[in-house]
């Protein structure tokens, strides 16, 4: 048996198995370790399928647990213009109704007009991009993890003015 404690992107594992001659931890990110009680630092957010494989003269046993590392992974779309109202979807792990999402350009922070929790992995946010400065914006979700900020997540470009001309052909 094993237990774990998640602190940001670090996970503290405790092996409580008995009579094992050898053990192997597989951390769900293509890394592994053979220490009794490892501390694992994950590089990305997400659900990790962790296995503890123990062996002795009677055979082997595998215990599997899902470890969820909170964090912001993506926003869609990743490019928009600075005219009009647009909806962005923030994607990641560990979202709740209390999770705030924002966009940052330098020291300036922008909050959405409206925010809707779609699931523990998705938040929909409506922004008014009129008069936003063109540039690369960072996306931020308050999750209390090391993965709260997604650098250069949204490119806002200057909107191109469109001129529409209608011509009446005189036919009824």
């Amino acid at each position: 048996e094993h237990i774990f404690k998640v602190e940001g992107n670090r996970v503290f594992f405790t092996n409580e198995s008995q009579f094992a001659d050898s053990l192997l931890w597989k951390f769900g990110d293509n890394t592994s370790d053979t220490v009794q009680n490892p501390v694992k630092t994950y590089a990305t957010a997400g659900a990790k399928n962790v296995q503890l494989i123990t062996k002795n003269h009677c055979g082997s046993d595998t215990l599997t647990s899902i470890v969820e590392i909170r964090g912001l992974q993506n926003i869609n779309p990743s490019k928009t213009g600075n005219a009009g109202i647009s909806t962005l979807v923030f994607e990641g792990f560990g979202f709740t109704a209390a999770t705030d999402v924002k966009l940052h350009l330098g020291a300036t922070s922008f909050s959405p007009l409206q925010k809707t929790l779609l699931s523990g992995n998705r938040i929909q946010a409506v922004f008014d991009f009129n008069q936003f400065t063109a540039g690369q914006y960072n996306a931020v979700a308050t999750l209390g993890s090391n993965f709260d900020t997604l650098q250069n997540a949204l490119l806002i470009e200057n909107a191109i003015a469109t001129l529409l001309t209608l011509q009446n052909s005189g036919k009824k």
Side-chain angles (χ1 to χ4, degrees), residues 32-48:
S32 61
D33 205 338
T34 57
V35 298
Q36 183 79 12
N37 300 310
V39 177
K40 170 67 179 166
T41 302
Y42 285 96
T44 60
K48 312 299 182 181

Side-chain angles (χ1 to χ4, degrees), residues 74-141:
N74 192 36
I75 65 167
N76 281 310
S78 60
K79 183 166 118 177
T80 190
N82 61 351
I85 295 176
S86 291
T87 300
L88 300 178
V89 177
F90 289 68
E91 299 173 334
F93 285 88
F95 295 159
T96 68
T99 303
D100 284 327
V101 295
K102 294 181 180 183
L103 296 173
H104 287 198
L105 180 64
T108 307
S109 179
F110 302 91
S111 296
L113 300 172
Q114 179 182 345
K115 176 194 77 164
T116 305
L117 178 68
L118 301 176
S119 70
N121 299 333
R122 298 178 71 182
I123 289 178
Q124 179 177 290
V126 178
F127 287 88
D128 182 352
F129 289 118
N130 286 303
Q131 309 306 314
F132 265 49
T133 302
Q136 284 286 160
Y137 285 70
N138 296 334
V140 178

Side-chain angles (χ1 to χ4, degrees), residues 3 10 21 25 45 55-56 59 64 77-78 80-81 87 90 92 97 113 138-139 141 143-144 147 155-156 162:
I3 57 174
R10 293 179 64 198
D21 295 328
W25 292 92
K55 295 181 182 177
N56 65 17
T64 303
S78 60
T80 190
T87 300
F90 289 68
L113 300 172
N138 296 334
L143 294 163
F147 302 113
L155 173 62
I156 295 182
T162 305

